[in-house]
Amino acid sequence: MADTFLPFKTKKYLAIAKEPVYVGTGGYRIGRVDNTIIRDPATNLPKIPGSTISGNARYYSWLAYKSGGMDLNLGCSKGKKTNGENACGVCPVCLSYGFINDERAQSGLAYFSDARILFFPVATMVGTIWVTSDEIVNELIDTNGSDEIEVTESQFICSNKMIELPKSNESKEILNFGWIMLEKKESKDINGWKLKGDDSSEEVSDLKYIFEKMKNKLCVVSAKVFHHIVNSNLETRTSVSINPVTGTAESRALFTYEALPRGTVFIFEVTYENPKNYGKVNPMEEIIGTVEKGFELFSSLGIGGMGTRGFGKIEIKKEKFLREEDYWERVKEYLEKLQQKSSDFKNKIDEQIEEIKSRSNGDKKKKEDDIKKDCKKLDAFVYVLNLWKAHLESQKEKLVERIKNFQEIYNTISSINIEIPEVCREEENNEQ
């Protein structure tokens, strides 16, 4: 990776809902359902708040390091004192997401945006298709040199892979988006469409993987009708509380709630600030790698509420994740610098101790205070080095075990030696 100093780096991420996603507003609302999901007040479209993504990512990053042998405090998982344990303030999780403890506080270096809907699945007469709006396409997608997408409220544009559409009495191609029937304006070749890059520090991602998941069934509608299509095609469920004694439904305990359906595609971005902006020696790759370790667990542990009822699992696309080689290379450089700083502080403390022996009592007090401050800094450096040492030892053990397994598999395969009978060889020659 380049050594050019970057004050920050912004990365866009795509996520696909593997299960319905429920991020509630809290409490009951008057409307179609009792428990509604959060919406953007400007567009009336559902979203996942950045605070929700950040909170889950922090805990999952903590889990990833903890399971990897790094001895982190429970307070590090929340960034504050938890069950009597303070956030350490020096581990990768505290550095990335921020913390507050009894001595100091620091804001996080990873800034999360809200996750917006990019493509939304809708049941139609030709099966499930994914729909987006002209405004979203023009804002976020590079359409490979095409002009701006424009459609009226009664029209839609579809992928040129969608060739069999119903026809009206006037022989015009039409399609229902839930309860709304729209008329086809034209087809577009979506091969080559990719996300726009906003600046030089942002990685641009193509949409091939997403389109393959969607089987290239994409339609673009007007922003004026998009929010109506989305809100009328949300998943709605009804639940009831069960009396644990009688095993029957509780009286007046019926409630309904809505969720974003399986297959919804989200887009969000994370801006990573360089720790060097604050005089730290930690590489920016440590922040990126820490956050992306957390992202990997979203597909298993999910996001939002009602996770025990089959909600919340999302898959964050890993194509543009930081490469393991780059991550460990920067961590190696960082640990070498940290080790050098620790040695320098130790030598400085030893020199100060020698100076104290030749000073009067009045001068000793100030020098002893300086030594205590330096000892505190040295303790923090050694603590971080020991965290990484335990983590690396754990990773080494896992790699040794994997190599051992691969060796056993190889030995098994290499020992196989089956002679093909001559009869089989003759039949094979005859067929040719």
Side-chain angles (χ1 to χ4, degrees), residues 26 72 138-139 143 148 217 220 257 281 321 369 387 415 426:
L72 301 180
N138 293 331
E139 178 190 353
T143 55
E148 277 204 347
K217 294 182 178 180
V220 182
Y257 49 96
V281 295
F321 275 21
D369 290 340
L387 283 179
S415 65
E426 290 174 4

Side-chain angles (χ1 to χ4, degrees), residues 309-326:
R309 302 185 187 187
F311 282 67
K313 292 180 181 177
I314 64 173
E315 176 193 349
I316 298 178
K317 188 183 173 193
K318 295 174 63 175
E319 179 195 350
K320 293 296 181 182
F321 275 21
L322 180 69
R323 294 192 317 146
E324 281 282 310
E325 296 89 338
D326 294 330

Side-chain angles (χ1 to χ4, degrees), residues 156-211:
F156 71 92
I157 296 171
C158 66
S159 160
N160 60 359
K161 300 291 177 68
M162 296 176 61
I163 55 176
E164 294 183 7
L165 295 175
K167 292 189 176 181
S168 66
N169 294 333
E170 292 81 24
S171 297
K172 293 180 179 179
E173 290 182 301
I174 57 174
L175 189 61
N176 70 306
F177 297 84
W179 56 272
I180 300 177
M181 187 73 74
L182 300 178
E183 182 181 303
K184 177 182 170 182
K185 177 185 178 182
E186 60 179 324
S187 296
K188 289 276 186 182
D189 182 3
I190 62 175
N191 285 330
W193 283 20
K194 62 184 180 181
L195 297 180
K196 288 180 178 178
D198 293 331
D199 54 59
S200 58
S201 70
E202 184 170 25
E203 297 183 26
V204 179
S205 175
D206 66 48
L207 296 166
K208 184 179 178 182
Y209 170 80
I210 298 296
F211 290 154

Side-chain angles (χ1 to χ4, degrees), residues 93-290:
V93 178
C94 288
L95 179 69
S96 302
Y97 298 97
F99 69 92
I100 181 169
N101 59 27
D102 294 339
E103 296 179 352
R104 60 195 180 98
Q106 178 184 303
S107 62
L109 300 180
Y111 305 90
F112 296 78
S113 74
D114 294 342
R116 301 163 54 188
I117 294 174
L118 184 62
F119 305 125
F120 184 81
V122 178
T124 70
M125 291 183 287
V126 295
T128 304
I129 60 98
W130 277 258
V131 62
T132 187
S133 76
D134 50 2
E135 282 187 2
I136 290 174
V137 171
N138 293 331
E139 178 190 353
L140 299 174
I141 298 177
D142 177 355
T143 55
N144 202 22
S146 300
D147 296 331
E148 277 204 347
I149 303 291
E150 252 186 80
V151 285
T152 65
E153 296 97 308
S154 61
Q155 296 175 323
F156 71 92
I157 296 171
C158 66
S159 160
N160 60 359
K161 300 291 177 68
M162 296 176 61
I163 55 176
E164 294 183 7
L165 295 175
K167 292 189 176 181
S168 66
N169 294 333
E170 292 81 24
S171 297
K172 293 180 179 179
E173 290 182 301
I174 57 174
L175 189 61
N176 70 306
F177 297 84
W179 56 272
I180 300 177
M181 187 73 74
L182 300 178
E183 182 181 303
K184 177 182 170 182
K185 177 185 178 182
E186 60 179 324
S187 296
K188 289 276 186 182
D189 182 3
I190 62 175
N191 285 330
W193 283 20
K194 62 184 180 181
L195 297 180
K196 288 180 178 178
D198 293 331
D199 54 59
S200 58
S201 70
E202 184 170 25
E203 297 183 26
V204 179
S205 175
D206 66 48
L207 296 166
K208 184 179 178 182
Y209 170 80
I210 298 296
F211 290 154
E212 286 175 356
K213 287 269 188 181
M214 294 162 37
K215 299 180 180 177
N216 291 300
K217 294 182 178 180
L218 176 66
C219 291
V220 182
V221 301
S222 168
K224 295 178 181 178
V225 298
F226 182 58
H227 68 95
H228 291 297
I229 293 173
V230 171
N231 287 310
S232 60
N233 287 279
L234 295 172
E235 182 165 340
T236 304
R237 293 195 189 184
T238 302
S239 294
V240 65
S241 297
I242 302 297
N243 188 306
V245 178
T246 64
T248 59
E250 291 273 19
S251 176
R252 297 182 179 180
L254 187 75
F255 62 97
T256 55
Y257 49 96
E258 61 188 1
L260 286 156
R262 180 187 295 110
T264 303
V265 179
F266 303 95
I267 183 169
F268 66 96
E269 62 183 37
V270 183
T271 298
Y272 301 97
E273 194 172 2
N274 198 324
K276 293 181 175 63
N277 295 347
Y278 300 93
K280 298 182 181 295
V281 295
N282 307 67
M284 188 159 54
E285 286 79 6
E286 182 184 344
I287 312 301
I288 298 172
T290 297

Side-chain angles (χ1 to χ4, degrees), residues 342-386:
S342 300
S343 297
D344 292 344
F345 263 101
K346 183 181 179 302
N347 293 336
K348 182 182 176 183
I349 291 168
D350 289 340
E351 290 172 4
Q352 288 174 326
I353 290 172
E354 289 300 319
E355 286 182 30
I356 283 180
K357 294 177 182 178
S358 61
R359 288 176 179 259
S360 62
N361 291 335
D363 295 333
K364 282 183 180 180
K365 183 70 173 68
K366 184 180 181 304
K367 208 66 179 174
E368 285 171 353
D369 290 340
D370 292 340
I371 291 174
K372 285 179 183 178
K373 290 178 183 177
D374 289 338
C375 284
K376 208 166 188 179
K377 291 178 181 177
L378 181 59
D379 284 342
F381 291 150
V382 172
Y383 178 77
V384 174
L385 286 169
N386 286 332

